[in-house]
Amino acid sequence: NGLAGAAADEPAAMEEDPPAAAAAAPAAAAAPPLPPGGVDITNVETLTGHENEVFICAWSPTQLLLASGSGDATARIWDLSAGASHSSAALVLRHQAADSEKPKDVTTLDWSHDGALLASGSYDGMARVWSREGGRHEAEAGASQGPHLQPQVE
């Protein structure tokens, strides 16, 4: 190994034996650092099951559960814990309209503080509360017809 002839104002070029150059190469290229809030795309998983676009997702505050709401009138609870079959194990929560009206998009989701209940809202004007275990429909509330104002009497 030696320096190739270089003038004082020229950068020096290194000559290396081929085996030495191979030994100096890193074993694997280091992954670039993630930007703040970035996602390592090597760990991305696609969850399939909804039949229309997904409008909202919400993480359970206590377990590796992800709820999703879609234009197919369903909410789904995905178990993302290790060993779970992620794409096929979703619990499907159907927003069935009370009358013969076409089911509406599920656009709002929120978990209770303890992760036991999931609230969902739909364009059918109904809010529904579901249990995490078994997806049992716990409660339902109808739409308000707007603010109820009392006229002021003077």
Side-chain angles (χ1 to χ4, degrees), residues 72-128:
D72 63 6
T74 67
R76 293 174 189 253
I77 299 176
W78 308 88
D79 182 355
L80 300 177
S81 58
S85 174
H86 302 165
S87 60
S88 64
L91 183 61
V92 180
L93 312 173
R94 299 195 185 282
H95 279 246
Q96 298 297 327
D99 53 17
S100 61
E101 183 180 340
K102 179 181 175 242
K104 306 287 185 179
D105 303 345
V106 176
T107 58
T108 305
L109 295 170
D110 200 8
W111 289 93
S112 62
H113 69 93
D114 63 358
L117 299 172
L118 176 69
S120 61
S122 171
Y123 274 133
D124 66 1
M126 301 298 287
R128 293 170 176 87

Side-chain angles (χ1 to χ4, degrees):
N1 291 344
L3 294 177
D9 58 343
E10 291 181 24
M14 296 288 293
E15 290 180 6
E16 291 191 36
D17 298 334
L34 296 175
V39 175
D40 177 0
I41 62 170
T42 62
N43 290 325
V44 172
E45 183 170 344
T46 300
L47 303 172
T48 57
H50 281 295
E51 297 171 7
N52 212 322
E53 64 268 36
V54 172
F55 294 115
I56 189 164
C57 291
W59 287 103
S60 166
T62 59
Q63 296 183 355
L64 283 175
L65 299 175
L66 179 67
S68 57
S70 170
D72 63 6
T74 67
R76 293 174 189 253
I77 299 176
W78 308 88
D79 182 355
L80 300 177
S81 58
S85 174
H86 302 165
S87 60
S88 64
L91 183 61
V92 180
L93 312 173
R94 299 195 185 282
H95 279 246
Q96 298 297 327
D99 53 17
S100 61
E101 183 180 340
K102 179 181 175 242
K104 306 287 185 179
D105 303 345
V106 176
T107 58
T108 305
L109 295 170
D110 200 8
W111 289 93
S112 62
H113 69 93
D114 63 358
L117 299 172
L118 176 69
S120 61
S122 171
Y123 274 133
D124 66 1
M126 301 298 287
R128 293 170 176 87
V129 179
W130 311 85
S131 67
R132 173 189 67 216
E133 301 299 327
R136 192 173 77 239
H137 187 210
E138 298 288 332
E140 192 169 85
S144 169
Q145 298 301 314
H148 299 283
L149 303 175
Q150 297 289 345
Q152 271 191 329
V153 179
E154 293 185 33

